[in-house]
Amino acid sequence: MNIDALHYRTGEPVRVTVEDGEIAAIEPLETQLTLEERAELPLVAPGLVDLQINGYGGYDFNHPALSAAVVKEAVRAVWKEGVTGFYPTVITGAPYTILGAMRAIARACEEDDASAATIKGIHLEGPFLSPEDGPRGAHALEHIRPPDTALFDQWQAAAGGRISLVTLSPEWEGSAEFIRHCVRQGVTVSIGHTSADAAQIAGAVAAGARLSTHLGNGAHAMLPRHPNYLWAQLAEEALWCTLIADGFHLPDEVLKVAMKVKGRQALLVSDAVALAGLAPGSYDTPVGGRVVLTPAGRLHLAGEPGLLAGSAQMLLRHIARLSAAGLASLPDAWDMASVQPAGFMALPAAAGLAAGAPADLALIRRTGTGAAGLALTALCQAGCWVYRRE
């Protein structure tokens, strides 16, 4: 199979040859194109890799009755957002609810090749988080608890070993031991929803923590100017960070600082909830209660418009917004949501557009200059077309 398109980084016309699920070659197009012919070509870019999706299109990975069938449908739904790999995120809940979610996701991967190919692992966000208001965010206080290796091992067994990313707060006694336990199993540990002090953060890094989850969110509304846990995480060179760049969660100046400090260690995540991809309106949700999704894409509590109720935007929006705001070029913003997270999680997709890499390819077009300025036209996963825009 040959795909003629404009390389997303150079803008030059290329032919991507795909064989046996891999990129066999990427070569310049020998045919001289007119301006009109060139304008008809889409951009070709690596498929997106999202480390944190709580739900999408009405499908909720944290629903108490999550089934394998719902997981399979969710996998196919995210393809239309350019996602070829993601980590369904299971948040704080009753132990039996988390156990059920792990079983459902594992069953979907066991029964369905598409789910197994798209789900690269499971992200467990909680329940080992800060109990304090602010850092805890929307996580239910009644289910917050200190790190528990036996409980984690039970969930990991139910998941068939698929938990590969855990977000916790290292303010709890025994956190370092728990982190080492996870790292020995090959699980990546991230610091998030925390009120830990600098020494606790340093201790977590020494034990093997490697990431900060949605840095700048899941935090107190007011902090001491210094020291505080944001400075401490920014200063830890071993810590990568994920950022929510939907235009609502972080001001541009915060994004700019984090990206300058972390460089290629700064990654984009959607942190999307089940309402992402749905029409604007009012909805009743199990976590936030009555919420409102505005036409602009902002999700807030119905009674308190100043309080966000999660992210309702997928990575295409984040990439377009970073580019439109001048915070990153389109190619660099795209890499923050594709090859860089893939590299961080040691996925083959980290090779990007290169011979021998998986043929996970997104065909995109610019539709404008604003935050909604990108549109997916087709998606290829492992050499097969899984989505084409009608």
Side-chain angles (χ1 to χ4, degrees), residues 54-144:
N54 307 279
Y56 174 75
Y59 304 111
D60 189 352
F61 296 124
N62 293 280
H63 193 283
L66 180 68
S67 67
V70 167
V71 175
K72 296 172 190 176
E73 292 174 5
V75 163
R76 287 155 175 81
V78 301
W79 284 341
K80 68 180 181 181
E81 296 286 350
V83 176
T84 50
F86 78 102
Y87 293 73
T89 301
V90 178
I91 69 167
T92 300
Y96 61 85
T97 301
I98 295 175
L99 187 70
M102 297 301 171
R103 286 173 174 163
I105 296 169
R107 191 175 304 117
C109 292
E110 291 162 1
E111 297 174 352
D112 179 42
D113 290 343
S115 295
T118 308
I119 293 174
K120 304 302 183 183
I122 299 173
H123 181 171
L124 176 64
E125 186 189 11
F128 316 126
L129 309 177
S130 175
E132 294 189 20
D133 290 344
R136 181 168 47 83
H139 292 251
L141 178 60
E142 63 185 298
H143 297 307
I144 297 290

Side-chain angles (χ1 to χ4, degrees), residues 240-241 257-267 336 340:
W240 294 52
C241 76
V257 168
M259 290 164 61
K260 280 186 174 292
V261 171
K262 295 299 184 180
R264 289 188 62 82
Q265 291 179 307
L267 314 174
M336 290 175 67
Q340 287 168 219

Side-chain angles (χ1 to χ4, degrees), residues 200-268:
Q200 291 167 330
I201 289 170
V205 172
R210 300 177 52 226
L211 183 68
S212 295
T213 294
H214 51 53
L215 186 64
N217 294 115
H220 294 95
M222 298 186 68
L223 286 170
R225 59 179 180 175
H226 48 72
N228 65 56
Y229 46 76
L230 298 182
W231 290 119
Q233 290 177 85
L234 283 169
E236 282 286 353
E237 295 184 8
L239 286 180
W240 294 52
C241 76
T242 62
L243 302 167
I244 305 174
D246 61 356
F248 308 118
H249 277 75
L250 292 174
D252 284 358
E253 57 269 25
V254 175
L255 288 168
K256 187 174 184 178
V257 168
M259 290 164 61
K260 280 186 174 292
V261 171
K262 295 299 184 180
R264 289 188 62 82
Q265 291 179 307
L267 314 174
L268 293 181

